[in-house]
Amino acid sequence: MKRYELFIDGQWAAPSSGKYQPNINPANTNDVIGEFASASPEDVNAAVDAAKRAFPAWRGMPMVKRGDILHKAANLLEARLEEVAQAMTREEGKTLIEARGETARGVAILRYFAGEASQPDGEVYPTALPNRMLYTRREPVGVIGLITPWNFPVAIPVWKIAPALVYGNTLVFKPAEITPLTAWHIVDVLSQAGLPKGVLNLVNGSGRVAGNAMVSNEDVKAISFTGSNGVGRDIQRKLQERGGKAQLEMGGKNPVVVLNDADMKVAVEMVTRGAMKSTGQKCTATSRVFVQEGIYKQFSDALVEAVKSLRIGDGMDANTYLGPAVSKDQQQSVLEYLEIGQKEGLKVGAGGSPLSGGTFDQGFYVPPTVYLDAALDSRLMNEEIFGPVVALAPVASLDHAIEAANNVPYGLSASIISQDIGKIMRFIDGIQAGLVHVNDETAGAEPQVPFGGFKESSSHSREQGKAARDFYTQIKTVYLDYPV
Ligand code: NAD
């Protein structure tokens, strides 16, 4: 069985704990992908020390040169795209087509931030005094910790690593413990691209041990976290107490509003994709649909038919639409929500009960499920499920739909399906979400624009695009009075 080590100070190194975790294919639990080192708190501290030592030289390297390294990494990742995509499908369960798309997105993100290396990194201002130059410049924060989830094991790490590096920070990266192979590839690619030792360190391991060690280390000046709300808020509190900086991207309960004038084909396609692709395990997945009464029956019939026809199976199979849940815990959590749906008396349109027999007994499969006529106060309408489960409710009007859609603590993504530009504009204005889609699914993000949510979905900062700079830099204002 192949063993994968930690990456500390430019070396692949065995964990001081001597512990390794097996990495299991969720589509077929007999397939063990490898054994991955589990970092101890001492390993994490060694990684932070290495990042601290590497910081002055990395910060001192001209930004354009740092961008060159990202360019090389993009090319190397592109050359390895198929291998990385297959690793992702095998350890995360998403379909190979989605894994290829995500890896290509990782390449695009690296290229975008390589390009940012030649953008202005400050501003010159007018001044009230003669013989003065007044300007700002951006400086790196220092050693930054990155804590990431399993659901986008290439895109999310890369959209943190790329801006953090290009703006001159050094990093300790703790990926989700159940998707360590894709993390290994990302670090390997960046190291091959010529990153100096200590600039990027990899500490696989559990959140409780490795994650917590990073959060407690005073030399980690900032942490960018994507994951669940409970963990995120806890990290934020701890960082705040010691004067550190935290950026959080967390849960969602994303609505789609389908109006009477919607193109039915588009509506069904976008809700199916948004709710079921990646087995519903996206922070931006569709989980509530508010449908105007005039087309409620027609839409729900069509959606139920579409969902019933989806192929569930191993993501490696080209005919599969949705693969398994990522882990036994995640499968259990989705099945518990289906029990809640039953207890709450929700009407099942499709799915609703566990899958069994044949392939389904070999992995962590869950049924794509549609609930109809869901009460607005039901738990399935209010809590993040993180599975292929969508609940429909009829609404009388656009205003009613916006009010219902806004009535949850989350505000990550939302979509409207309509042909009426006036109503679309009212929706864009009234919906409480950081990402708004029109005639599109709720999931999907391009690297050059800000990504993040309103309310409990985020910490009011944004990732990606130019917005990423705000977290990964600090501003220095310079009053330069020159001798004449
Ligand atoms: P999680 O919170 O369990 O884990 C996320 C990361 O935090 C993992 O690396 C984990 O090991 C680490 N962690 C766990 N406990 C920790 C602790 N005490 N201290 C430090 N680190 C700790 O989340 P998950 O199950 O991996 O991911 C699913 C969640 O992520 C969902 O809520 C989803 O909505 C959210 N998510 C949000 C976005 C977004 O951009 N808003 C994107 C993807 C996923």
Side-chain angles (χ1 to χ4, degrees):
M1 179 70 48
K2 185 163 177 192
R3 282 194 156 175
Y4 295 82
E5 310 293 6
L6 309 173
F7 190 66
I8 299 176
D9 207 14
Q11 302 286 334
W12 294 101
S16 65
S17 63
K19 284 192 195 147
Y20 289 80
Q21 290 289 333
N23 182 6
I24 290 164
N25 181 343
N28 176 0
T29 54
N30 295 321
D31 176 22
V32 181
I33 298 159
E35 287 191 331
F36 287 77
S38 223
S40 67
E42 291 71 31
D43 296 323
V44 173
N45 292 340
V48 174
D49 288 346
K52 200 175 163 189
R53 285 194 301 275
F55 178 64
W58 181 244
R59 181 208 148 147
M61 182 186 281
M63 185 149 87
V64 172
K65 295 270 179 251
R66 295 197 296 257
D68 288 346
I69 295 179
L70 291 194
H71 259 304
K72 267 193 211 141
N75 294 342
L76 290 170
L77 183 59
E78 193 167 47
R80 220 187 260 195
L81 192 142
E82 188 59 26
E83 192 187 348
V84 175
Q86 294 204 9
M88 194 189 308
T89 295
R90 227 173 131 203
E91 71 179 356
E92 202 274 350
K94 68 178 66 180
T95 61
L96 192 51
I97 196 157
E98 288 179 279
R100 286 183 185 132
E102 184 183 334
T103 311
R105 196 164 139 205
V107 174
I109 296 167
L110 285 165
R111 291 209 170 113
Y112 172 81
F113 284 104
E116 280 298 293
S118 46
Q119 292 296 307
D121 69 346
E123 288 166 337
V124 179
Y125 290 79
T127 153
L129 295 179
N131 307 325
R132 164 172 287 181
M133 185 178 175
L134 182 57
Y135 69 100
T136 60
R137 46 179 279 185
R138 297 269 181 168
E139 294 195 355
V141 177
V143 177
I144 298 188
L146 307 176
I147 302 182
T148 56
W150 42 262
N151 65 336
F152 284 100
V154 165
I156 293 176
V158 172
W159 84 42
K160 294 181 193 295
I161 290 171
L165 289 180
V166 87
Y167 296 124
N169 303 282
T170 54
L171 307 176
V172 180
F173 165 36
K174 198 214 83 62
E177 48 272 56
I178 51 179
T179 50
L181 182 53
T182 32
W184 183 91
H185 278 292
I186 294 167
V187 172
D188 192 47
V189 154
L190 278 153
S191 143
Q192 306 269 328
L195 272 189
K197 68 175 190 165
V199 170
L200 172 64
N201 303 275
L202 172 70
V203 287
N204 293 315
S206 77
R208 213 169 25 81
V209 178
N212 199 39
M214 191 141 89
V215 172
S216 319
N217 190 315
E218 302 251 340
D219 286 329
V220 177
K221 299 299 175 201
I223 289 196
S224 179
F225 167 87
T226 300
S228 58
N229 282 61
V231 175
R233 290 290 168 220
D234 190 44
I235 291 175
Q236 186 180 43
R237 248 188 322 273
K238 288 177 176 156
L239 265 282
Q240 214 160 20
E241 265 168 29
R242 62 174 177 82
K245 199 173 174 186
Q247 174 183 57
L248 316 174
E249 289 299 343
M250 301 173 290
K253 188 70 189 168
N254 311 294
V256 174
V257 170
V258 182
L259 296 185
N260 283 341
D261 63 50
D263 178 322
M264 188 58 66
K265 201 161 162 264
V266 171
V268 172
E269 169 75 20
M270 294 308 160
V271 171
T272 306
R273 267 171 33 186
M276 305 300 167
K277 281 273 176 193
S278 284
T279 317
Q281 301 171 129
K282 294 183 186 178
C283 50
T284 49
T286 302
S287 65
R288 302 177 291 151
V289 188
F290 300 105
V291 190
Q292 217 175 348
E293 285 159 356
I295 54 154
Y296 183 80
K297 168 106 183 55
Q298 194 193 349
F299 173 79
S300 49
D301 286 351
L303 182 71
V304 164
E305 195 189 316
V307 170
K308 280 184 172 165
S309 73
L310 299 178
R311 286 278 292 265
I312 310 152
D314 188 330
M316 287 290 186
D317 179 343
N319 295 318
T320 295
Y321 190 91
L322 68 161
V326 72
S327 65
K328 181 142 196 73
D329 283 354
Q330 199 58 32
Q331 180 193 37
Q332 272 317 112
S333 161
V334 172
L335 295 180
E336 275 164 29
Y337 270 106
L338 300 185
E339 281 169 25
I340 292 167
Q342 206 174 12
K343 279 191 201 123
E344 287 186 327
L346 291 193
K347 188 168 153 195
V348 176
S353 36
L355 301 168
S356 60
T359 323
F360 296 145
D361 294 337
Q362 288 172 5
F364 306 128
Y365 293 93
V366 285
T369 296
V370 180
Y371 288 113
L372 304 172
D373 314 341
L376 297 186
D377 61 356
S378 66
R379 282 184 62 188
L380 277 104
M381 267 291 197
N382 289 278
E383 295 173 22
E384 184 182 48
I385 300 170
F386 229 56
V389 180
V390 65
L392 272 52
V395 286
S397 64
L398 173 62
D399 289 338
H400 181 194
I402 293 175
E403 190 190 332
N406 284 341
N407 198 23
V408 290
Y410 299 110
L412 187 54
S413 183
S415 175
I416 183 167
I417 314 290
S418 171
Q419 315 269 350
D420 182 329
I421 188 66
K423 289 186 174 144
I424 290 170
M425 294 307 281
R426 264 170 57 209
F427 177 80
I428 294 171
D429 198 40
I431 195 73
Q432 293 165 359
L435 308 162
V436 182
H437 294 259
V438 178
N439 295 315
D440 189 16
E441 59 173 307
T442 51
E446 296 196 36
Q448 67 277 21
V449 284
F451 178 92
F454 281 17
K455 304 196 281 188
E456 284 296 312
S457 290
S458 151
S459 56
H460 313 292
S461 62
R462 291 291 180 270
E463 299 196 83
Q464 304 201 72
K466 291 226 178 292
R469 205 167 64 147
D470 291 338
F471 183 73
Y472 294 108
T473 62
Q474 47 193 341
I475 296 175
K476 183 175 275 176
T477 305
V478 182
Y479 294 79
L480 193 163
D481 290 358
Y482 49 88
V484 283

